[in-house]
Each structure stands twice: as structure tokens, then as C-alpha cells.
């Protein structure tokens, strides 16, 4: 599927975005482990989260989906069964890494795999702590790459210092730790998104967090409950960015999750001079707000502090687009993790900007973008990466002539309705052409 994207005028209107992907994965998997029923309101219904739900079903979990609600009858202790086939998590790093933690505590064999992109992504970061806890993990290249086999069983607690600030590693270890004997202690080099910790607390699990470390006693079973999933800030971000750079824009995005471990993009836009207001709506475990943006079209490049990186990690390709549409230099460093996302996002972001005639320097762990505000229409490619496809569309809105974005089927992993939502704010900005790459 190819999109044709026309340069747009100011964006106007009020929208909502689909449910948060990270929170939905956690709700499905913690719901599957819980005692009792978990009722999840407005989860993300998309390929990534469908794969996680399907995996839970293959493990014997009963789920009922009706309208915007998914009910999960939890297995409680010992309730999952050995799946009779390989579990394919598609494109989802979160799905596969969290499941590895869950399965490590269950006395059976599972084989986990994913699509071409996921089969290239590093799995040793979860294999190492899970092996230390006593699970038998194997896979290609000694457990570095999928497919991965997990033979779970009795787990012991560990003290683990993660070499990367990764919420997927942290969540994997915490989910395994629930099933272990003794107290697991986990440290990470910087605070990654903390949705798992928040949801565990909501589900009655005792967990202490202080001075950069987490401690969790084993043999705890989460209790099923109602979970309301807020809108995904990572999906909202595309419209926040587009409105911030296009002068005269005025948009409101309702009911977005504004967990501070995720709002780096808002801090980034504000630091560049964007006018953004956050209207708090409530906090039932996760803070939720309406976000209003007024486009000034007058943004100035910045040096992004490295401590912001975990909270803006998935929005860095988009931040590069904003930088290209602003004045002055923007430097992003300390983001080497981008190389092991759905694509090598340092290289795919740099290529996207170069196609639009933007001056950009690729670094090992980031890039430097020279903003001139002059963007050329181009033939962009998604590289099979949903966030690169959507970031390219936002760049194309700001170009001097129409662009195309090819191979956009990948947006179904997180946000199939992206073109419609963009068109709601900027009529006829995106046209969809079914068919092949040039469509
Ligand atoms: C996620 C954590 C982040 C993020 C990913 C989703 C999660 O990855 O990039 O899109 O839901 O835990 P890492 O934790 O590996 O950095």
C-alpha cells in the first residue's frame, strides 16, 4: 500500500488516538497470569497486540472481545498449558520479550518467533537474566536471535543490573520474578517506561521502587481488575508534531496517556518553542490528559539532553522531522538503541531526511539535523517500520510538492487508522493506493 501525501495547510480539529500499545500488551499478559477476570477497556486493537492476545489464547487463556472491551479470564498459578505450536509474535519486541518472562516460570516448552524484522532483534538481553533465574533458554546464535525456545520451571530470584535502559527487559524480569522464590532486585541505567510497575501495583502486587532500583517478592499473583487504556502518546505524537510545526494549526487530542516516562516528545517540542497545553483528566494508575497544540511555525533547534532519550525513544524519527522543519541545529545523541528497533532507525531516519533534501549527519548513537524549513517532496519508503512510515507522512505534509510513502501496510502494527485521523485534521492530506510498492 502506498500513500500519496500532499503539502498541508494548518491542522484543525479534535481527535482521539487508539489505545496505548505498551499498556495493552501488559494488560493482556498480566491479565492472563492473574487470578480472576481482567476487563480491559479501549485496548489497542492492532496487529502487534492481536499477536499477544493470540499467544495468550494458545496458552489456554479464554478471552472475549466485544466492542471496545476485551475480557480475559486469568489462569492464576499453574493455569497455562503448553502450546501445541510455535508462538509467532509478528513485529512485536514487547510481545515476545514479556512472554519470555512469563513462560520462564511455567513447566513446559514454548517456541517463540516473529517476522523478518523481529528475528533480527537482540534477545540475549532477556535470555541472560532469565537463565540466571533458572529458565532454559535457547535460540539461534546461542539465544541471541529468534526463534527462541523457553523451557520454564522453578525460578529463583536474582539481583540484576541491566546494561540497557529497556522497559522490555525490566518487564520481562519483573514478570519472571513474580513466579520466583525470594526477592528480585532490578536496576537500570536510566528510568525506562514504568507501565509494568504501575499495573502490577494496580493488580495488588507488592513492589518497592526507590533510588533507581526495584524490589519484588516472588510467589505473588496479580489480581484481575478493570483497566482503562489511555490513548497512545506515541500515536498522538505525529499530530502534535505536525500541528506544532505548521503555523496557524489548532488541535486537541483527547484522553492521551501522559506518563512522564513517555512524554519526552512533549518536552522536546516545548523546548523548541511549541505552544502545548496539557489538561489533566485523571489518574487511575496512568495519568491521562487532553493535549492542545497551537502551531506557531517558529521552532528552534536544540541539543536533546541524553537523559530525555528513554522517554522519547519511539518518537526520535519524528523529532528528526520536526528538527528538519525548524530553524537551527538539533543534536540527538545517546540513542544507540534505535539501531535495534523495528528498523535501524538511525539509518532509516537519516535516509528519510536525505530524500527530502535535508542536511543531516549520521552518528553512531544519533544524528545532527540542520533545520532550514525547506523540505522537498520525495518518494519515501517505510523500510517495513510503522513509525518511519508515519514520520515520513508528517515530513511530506511540510514539503514543497506532493510525496509518496511506499510499503505502508506496516502501520497496521500500531495505528491502521493513521491516514483517516490525519485527514480529519487536514482534509485530503493522504490518499491511499492499494497494491504494490509503487501502487
Ligand atoms: C516498549 C519499550 C521500548 C519501546 C517499545 C515498547 C515497551 O523498548 O521502544 O516500542 O512496551 O516496553 P525497550 O524497552 O526495548 O527500549
Amino acid at each position: 500500500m502506498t500513500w500519496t501525501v500532499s503539502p498541508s495547510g494548518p491542522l484543525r480539529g479534535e481527535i482521539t488516538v487508539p489505545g496505548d500499545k505498551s499498556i495493552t500488551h501488559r494488560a493482556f499478559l498480566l491479565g492472563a497470569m492473574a487470578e480472576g477476570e481482567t476487563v480491559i477497556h479501549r485496548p489497542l486493537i492492532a496487529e502487534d497486540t492481536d499477536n499477544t492476545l493470540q499467544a495468550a489464547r494458545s496458552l489456554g487463556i479464554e478471552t472475549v472481545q466485544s466492542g471496545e472491551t476485551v475480557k480475559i479470564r486469568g489462569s492464576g498459578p499453574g493455569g497455562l498449558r503448553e502450546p501445541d505450536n510455535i508462538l509467532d509474535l509478528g513485529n512485536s519486541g514487547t510481545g515476545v520479550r514479556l512472554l519470555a518472562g512469563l513462560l520462564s516460570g511455567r513447566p513446559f516448552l514454548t517456541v517463540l518467533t516473529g517476522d523478518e524484522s523481529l528475528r533480527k532483534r537482540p534477545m540475549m538481553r532477556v535470555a541472560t537474566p532469565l537463565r540466571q533465574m533458572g529458565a532454559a533458554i535457547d535460540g539461534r546464535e546461542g539465544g541471541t536471535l529468534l526463534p527462541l525456545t523457553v523451557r520454564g520451571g522453578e525460578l529463583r530470584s536474582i539481583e540484576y543490573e541491566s546494561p540497557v535502559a529497556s522497559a522490555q527487559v525490566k518487564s520481562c524480569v519483573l514478570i519472571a520474578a513474580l513466579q520466583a522464590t525470594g526477592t528480585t532486585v532490578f536496576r537500570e541505567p536510566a528510568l525506562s517506561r514504568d507501565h509494568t510497575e504501575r499495573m502490577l501495583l494496580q493488580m495488588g502486587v507488592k513492589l518497592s521502587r526507590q533510588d533507581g532500583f526495584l524490589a519484588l517478592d516472588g510467589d505473588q499473583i496479580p489480581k484481575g481488575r478493570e483497566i482503562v487504556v489511555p490513548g497512545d502518546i506515541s500515536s498522538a505524537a505525529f499530530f502534535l508534531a505536525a500541528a506544532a510545526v505548521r503555523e496557524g494549526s489548532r488541535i486537541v487530542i483527547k484522553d492521551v496517556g501522559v506518563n512522564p516516562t513517555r512524554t519526552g516528545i512533549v518536552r522536546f517540542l516545548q523546548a523548541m518553542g511549541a505552544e502545548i497545553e496539557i489538561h489533566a483528566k485523571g489518574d487511575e494508575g496512568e495519568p491521562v490528559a487532553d493535549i492542545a497544540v497551537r502551531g506557531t511555525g517558529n521552532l528552534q533547534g536544540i541539543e536533546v539532553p541524553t537523559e530525555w532519550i528513554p522517554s522519547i525513544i519511539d518518537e526520535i524519527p519524528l523529532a528528526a522531522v520536526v528538527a528538519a522543519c525548524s530553524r537551527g541545529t538539533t543534536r540527538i545523541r545517546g540513542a544507540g538503541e534505535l539501531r535495534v528497533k523495528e528498523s535501524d532507525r538511525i539509518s532509516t531516519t537519516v535516509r528519510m531526511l536525505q530524500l527530502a533534501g535535508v542536511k543531516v549527519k549520521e552518528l553512531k548513537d544519533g544524528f545532527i539535523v540542520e533545520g532550514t524549513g525547506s523540505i522537498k517532496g520525495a518518494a519515501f519508503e517505510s523500510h517495513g517500520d510503522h513509525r518511519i512510515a508515519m514520520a515520513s507522512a508528517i515530513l511530506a505534509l511540510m514539503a514543497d510538492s506532493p510525496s509518496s510513502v511506499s510499503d505502508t501496510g506496516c502501520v497496521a502494527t500500531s495505528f491502521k487508522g493513521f491516514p483517516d485521523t490525519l485527514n480529519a485534521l487536514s482534509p485530503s492530506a493522504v490518499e491511499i493506493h492499494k497494491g504494490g510498492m509503487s501502487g
Side-chain angles (χ1 to χ4, degrees):
M1 223 162 30
T2 296
W3 297 334
T4 302
V5 185
S6 304
S8 90
L11 285 80
R12 292 285 171 99
E14 193 175 285
I15 56 166
T16 55
V17 290
D20 187 281
K21 181 148 77 72
S22 291
I23 296 173
T24 301
H25 281 297
R26 287 157 171 79
F28 288 168
L29 291 178
L30 293 178
M33 295 176 80
E35 222 160 35
E37 192 173 72
T38 293
V39 181
I40 305 153
H41 300 280
R42 276 184 269 119
L44 174 66
I45 308 289
E47 278 177 10
D48 267 17
T49 44
D50 278 355
N51 284 326
T52 293
L53 196 58
Q54 186 50 48
R57 289 195 198 107
S58 303
L59 292 162
I61 293 295
E62 220 180 285
T63 70
V64 182
Q65 194 169 328
S66 66
E68 295 202 312
T69 300
V70 171
K71 284 187 191 156
I72 298 197
R73 189 144 311 137
S75 64
L80 300 177
R81 64 153 196 255
E82 186 171 72
D84 64 5
N85 206 346
I86 291 170
L87 303 186
D88 186 345
L89 276 302
N91 196 241
S92 177
T94 307
V96 84
R97 293 186 176 119
L98 270 56
L99 255 177
L102 193 165
L103 294 165
S104 287
R106 307 287 159 150
F108 51 72
L109 180 83
T110 315
V111 184
L112 298 169
T113 194
D115 69 7
E116 195 185 334
S117 150
L118 194 55
R119 292 197 308 274
K120 290 189 195 130
R121 297 179 63 188
M123 294 298 144
M124 195 53 91
R125 54 182 60 196
V126 290
T128 299
L130 293 176
R131 282 172 177 162
Q132 286 177 18
M133 296 177 89
I137 312 281
D138 208 346
R140 277 192 302 141
E141 296 185 19
T144 305
L145 297 172
L146 297 175
L148 219 57
T149 59
V150 181
R151 184 169 284 287
E154 293 198 354
L155 298 180
R156 53 187 172 268
S157 57
I158 53 170
E159 285 202 13
Y160 193 68
E161 186 146 355
S162 176
V164 277
S166 161
Q168 294 176 2
V169 172
K170 173 171 63 180
S171 305
C172 169
V173 172
L174 292 178
I175 289 172
L178 281 176
Q179 308 169 82
T181 47
T183 304
T184 293
V185 176
F186 183 91
R187 284 189 190 78
E188 55 185 344
L191 179 64
S192 63
R193 61 192 67 188
D194 66 353
H195 304 303
T196 302
E197 298 91 302
R198 287 171 183 256
M199 198 176 291
L200 286 173
L201 290 166
Q202 271 184 295
M203 296 176 96
V205 169
K206 288 197 195 77
L207 158 82
S208 74
R209 328 199 236 181
Q210 34 175 293
D211 303 332
F213 78 85
L214 286 164
L216 183 117
D217 290 341
D219 292 323
Q220 296 194 70
I221 301 152
K223 294 193 181 44
R225 56 163 294 149
E226 304 237 345
I227 295 172
V228 182
V229 181
D232 197 327
I233 181 106
S234 293
S235 297
F238 296 102
F239 313 111
L240 299 178
V245 295
R246 182 54 91 210
E247 194 180 348
S249 297
R250 268 167 201 231
I251 68 163
V252 176
I253 311 183
K254 309 275 286 180
D255 301 319
V256 182
V258 288
N259 179 322
T261 62
R262 293 287 300 284
T263 47
I265 187 68
V266 174
R267 277 188 285 284
F268 171 81
L269 291 169
Q270 286 173 331
M272 292 182 86
E275 288 185 12
I276 302 184
E277 282 173 18
I278 309 279
H279 301 286
K281 294 277 279 282
D283 186 341
E284 286 177 36
E286 290 282 350
V288 180
D290 293 343
I291 307 181
V293 187
R294 293 162 66 99
T296 59
N298 190 21
L299 304 187
Q300 186 72 43
I302 60 162
E303 173 138 6
V304 177
T306 49
E307 59 276 16
W308 289 9
I309 297 297
S311 69
I312 192 176
I313 189 74
D314 291 342
E315 286 65 68
I316 291 178
L318 180 67
V321 166
V322 173
C325 301
S326 307
R327 274 176 301 148
T329 306
T330 295
R331 289 189 182 77
I332 299 185
R333 305 219 51 177
E337 272 292 297
L338 291 179
R339 296 222 180 258
V340 292
K341 295 293 178 187
E342 287 85 327
S343 67
D344 171 346
R345 284 187 181 155
I346 293 182
S347 129
T348 49
T349 298
V350 166
R351 277 196 265 166
M352 166 180 72
L353 295 186
Q354 284 170 339
L355 283 171
V358 176
K359 212 172 137 210
V360 52
K361 182 166 183 223
E362 177 166 352
L363 308 171
K364 207 170 78 209
D365 62 347
F367 33 72
I368 301 171
V369 181
E370 298 299 340
T372 60
S374 147
I375 311 294
K376 288 196 295 195
F380 298 106
E381 286 164 36
S382 71
H383 301 278
D385 183 333
H386 56 139
R387 299 209 194 277
I388 297 294
M390 293 185 275
S392 299
I394 300 305
L395 185 58
L397 289 182
M398 306 302 151
D400 59 3
S401 60
S403 301
S404 59
V405 186
S406 61
D407 194 16
T408 60
C410 54
V411 300
T413 61
S414 66
F415 193 0
K416 196 163 183 230
F418 170 81
D420 293 339
T421 307
L422 187 52
N423 285 338
L425 296 174
S426 176
S428 310
V430 191
E431 245 182 82
I432 301 174
H433 307 275
K434 300 236 176 332
M437 301 279 286
S438 56

